[in-house]
Amino acid sequence: QQVAKEALYAPYIVRERGEAMAVMKDEGAIIPAHLDYRQLGGLSSELVSKLERTRPASIADAKKIEGMTPAGIVVILASVRGHGASRVAG
């Protein structure tokens, strides 16, 4: 029975691990100052409010926001990649 459960959830686990690795790899990605968080699907209104108030400079900064979720980071990262993400020097 345990093997059947593991087989059922394996694709989701693999996808989530891949997303987590991508986020870790891109923590230094700069978030454009003009990014309109309201236009990003998948962010709660509370997170949008916090992001607009704090205007994190990078994915690493965004991860530090209270209430930020892994899914929220993936949404922001996808948008940053779409803008041609640059890297923080360091």
Side-chain angles (χ1 to χ4, degrees):
Q1 190 175 11
Q2 182 67 26
V3 173
K5 286 182 184 179
E6 289 176 11
L8 177 66
Y9 291 106
Y12 301 104
I13 292 169
V14 169
R15 184 182 74 203
E16 189 157 312
R17 283 185 185 150
E19 289 174 353
M21 290 184 69
V23 168
M24 288 182 353
K25 183 184 98 188
D26 290 326
E27 282 188 336
I30 295 172
I31 300 173
H34 64 276
L35 184 62
D36 186 354
Y37 295 103
R38 290 169 290 161
Q39 298 300 313
L40 304 181
L43 295 177
S44 70
S45 57
E46 178 184 1
L47 275 179
V48 168
S49 177
K50 288 179 180 182
L51 288 162
E52 288 179 338
R53 198 169 44 251
T54 61
R55 286 284 165 194
S58 69
I59 295 295
D61 292 340
K63 287 176 68 176
K64 296 175 187 174
I65 295 173
E66 184 178 345
M68 180 56 70
T69 63
I73 292 296
V74 170
V75 167
I76 296 167
L77 184 55
S79 176
V80 167
R81 285 181 180 157
H83 282 93
S86 55
R87 307 281 300 170
V88 171

